[in-house]
Amino acid sequence: MRESFRWFGPPDRIALSEIVQTGASEIVTSLHEIAYGLVWEKDAIAARQTLVREQSGGRLEWTVVESLPVHEEIKLAGSGGRGDLETLYETYRISLRNLAACGISTVCYNFMPLLDWTRTELAHPLAGGGTSLRFNMQDFAAFDVFMLERPGAEADFAPDVIERAKAWIDASSPADRERLLTAIMAGLPGAYERYDVPGLREVLARYKGITKDDIRANYKRFLEAVVPTAEEAGIRLCVHPDDPPRPVFGLPRVVSSEEDIAFILDAVPSVANGLTLCSGSLGAGPANDVVAIARRFADKIHFAHLRNVAKDADGSFEEADHLDGDTDMIALLRVLLAEERRRKGEGRADWQIPMRPDHGHELLADLGRGTHPGYPLIGRMRGLAALRGAIRAIGAIDGSA
């Protein structure tokens, strides 16, 4: 598998020269500074490629885009969505062509309404030292029911979760509630301002009455508009699953399960319409068998995020070590490596699947460094080293790709 590392561009507190020392050879990044709905021009793409090469001493190459964002108007329901969708579709198509012209062919994106990933703790203390990201169901319910006061929110949680959420709110200080808001807002894409509670209520109101079927219909319309261009340009689009794979603040989620993925891939059948296999996002869903999902859709996996989570019975979860947690990472790697062997046997030049160690614990010198939540240097390097060792061991046993 091709080893990559996510970098958030020039503002990232982790230098490309440091990423070189992890042993990765490829960079996963985006032009985060470009507002949604605007074209990624060739000059801007090429400039970022040059920056990556120069600041890494020629040892790193930008090969995977994460993400080329889908404008929120495309996700909103209505007759063909809202706003001038054809302009937004064409902007997306031009950006895809420009990426292809610069030699970048893997584009990860998501279709999560408003929020990307959602956590309630950004620095949960670990027993052995360090911190992790964590999603506490009772804290999330406390925010949704008692801080946001979303109508009907109580129905989305078990009675015992509501009871514990009320106890949390009653015992919380203003600083506790502000920390919870900050953690939840950390999941907003970089192009978005962070909201206070009234501001979040206001933006959520735009989705009032929108159903999962509405979001699916708009997603299918988006795929019909852009996948033919991606296929023509040699681009592999690969959707990222919802994180967590459940409705958030009443917002429907449409990439949360095996059935959801099948709908997406069948909506517009094409080699250009594929999947980012995120073992952590899918693994947070109690009903999801990540290994079985990977096996079913192996030929459509264009990119892999490898991480693990440990789940609680109430739906809470936290980031685990990459080879631990609830997903059998060894079995998952076997599926991915077997698929690489199959592709290589077909004579494909692009038989290797790019992967990155997703998320990581804050450890040692990363503590207090202020890196992007979930993306410290040392924790991800540790994860990459563990995955690298497992991949080589599996290759020795099963037959190297």
Side-chain angles (χ1 to χ4, degrees):
M1 302 185 77
R2 289 161 38 200
E3 296 181 4
S4 63
F5 216 79
R6 192 172 190 183
W7 181 63
F8 288 91
D12 200 320
R13 298 196 178 192
I14 296 171
L16 289 162
S17 59
E18 294 177 293
I19 295 176
V20 168
Q21 296 177 57
T22 70
S25 58
E26 302 181 11
I27 285 294
V28 175
T29 193
S30 176
L31 299 182
H32 296 286
E33 67 277 13
I34 296 179
Y36 291 15
L38 298 182
V39 168
W40 285 20
E41 301 289 356
K42 291 179 187 177
D43 287 350
I45 297 166
R48 187 58 49 85
Q49 290 176 304
T50 298
L51 180 69
V52 168
R53 294 185 193 114
E54 289 181 347
Q55 292 193 4
S56 67
R59 293 179 179 270
L60 295 172
E61 190 76 21
W62 179 19
T63 58
V64 178
V65 171
E66 187 180 346
S67 297
L68 181 59
V70 178
H71 197 282
E72 207 65 20
E73 293 295 336
I74 292 172
K75 303 171 192 175
L76 284 164
S79 180
R82 295 177 182 167
D84 185 355
L85 288 192
E86 183 51 41
T87 296
L88 293 174
Y89 293 152
E90 181 59 15
T91 295
Y92 207 92
R93 290 190 290 255
I94 293 170
S95 297
L96 290 175
R97 293 188 192 103
N98 289 345
L99 285 164
C102 292
I104 298 175
S105 60
T106 304
V107 176
C108 173
Y109 70 101
N110 76 69
F111 214 81
M112 289 180 261
L114 189 61
L115 294 168
D116 279 11
W117 57 270
T118 304
R119 299 291 185 275
T120 60
E121 286 186 81
L122 302 181
H124 178 73
L126 298 169
T131 67
S132 72
L133 299 178
R134 181 172 171 82
F135 180 90
N136 287 312
M137 189 61 75
Q138 70 177 36
D139 297 358
F140 185 72
F143 184 89
D144 197 7
V145 176
F146 300 110
M147 290 176 60
L148 188 63
E149 298 178 324
R150 178 174 64 87
E154 295 93 337
D156 290 347
F157 303 96
D160 67 301
V161 171
I162 296 292
E163 183 178 342
R164 287 186 281 120
K166 182 63 164 62
W168 186 93
I169 275 289
D170 290 344
S172 66
S173 67
D176 293 332
R177 294 190 289 276
E178 185 62 29
R179 276 192 295 272
L180 179 56
L181 173 64
T182 298
I184 290 171
M185 287 299 99
L188 278 168
Y192 281 73
E193 295 180 0
R194 272 49 183 163
Y195 301 109
D196 57 13
V197 170
L200 184 57
R201 288 193 192 111
E202 183 178 342
V203 295
L204 286 171
R206 299 189 71 205
Y207 279 91
K208 184 178 180 180
I210 290 176
T211 68
K212 181 171 182 174
D213 286 343
D214 293 328
I215 300 292
R216 273 188 166 184
N218 286 333
Y219 191 2
K220 184 174 186 290
R221 192 175 296 116
F222 166 74
L223 292 173
E224 289 170 341
V226 303
V227 167
T229 296
E231 184 172 340
E232 180 184 340
I235 292 281
R236 301 291 187 263
L237 289 168
C238 39
V239 64
H240 187 286
D242 304 325
D243 186 9
R246 52 161 289 148
V248 173
F249 302 137
L251 296 172
R253 295 288 184 108
V254 296
V255 198
S256 291
S257 67
E258 182 173 348
E259 188 267 338
D260 286 340
I261 295 167
F263 172 86
I264 293 160
L265 299 181
D266 290 343
V268 181
S270 168
V271 67
N273 182 22
L275 174 67
T276 295
L277 193 283
C278 181
S279 55
S281 296
L282 289 169
N288 287 336
D289 183 333
V290 181
V291 177
I293 290 171
R295 188 175 294 114
R296 177 176 176 182
F297 303 113
D299 64 329
K300 290 297 188 72
I301 295 173
H302 299 324
F303 184 32
H305 290 180
L306 300 179
R307 64 180 171 92
N308 227 319
V309 297
K311 297 186 290 292
D312 298 336
D314 68 354
S316 303
F317 61 90
E318 70 179 65
E319 308 284 352
D321 286 332
H322 287 73
L323 299 187
D324 295 326
D326 296 336
T327 293
D328 185 341
M329 188 60 71
I330 301 302
L332 178 60
L333 289 171
R334 278 198 152 116
V335 171
L336 297 175
L337 291 170
E339 173 60 17
E340 285 193 326
R341 289 194 297 273
R342 187 193 69 80
R343 296 179 188 185
K344 188 176 183 181
E346 290 182 344
R348 286 176 51 175
D350 63 343
W351 58 272
Q352 288 182 298
I353 298 171
M355 72 85 168
R356 66 172 178 83
D358 197 15
H359 296 184
H361 294 162
E362 277 198 336
L363 305 169
L364 304 170
D366 276 331
L367 290 165
R369 186 175 178 181
T371 54
H372 194 86
Y375 290 90
L377 176 64
I378 296 170
R380 287 187 292 157
M381 180 172 67
R382 176 182 172 181
L384 178 58
L387 292 166
R388 181 185 295 137
I391 288 168
R392 292 191 181 182
I394 294 167
I397 295 169
D398 295 354
S400 174

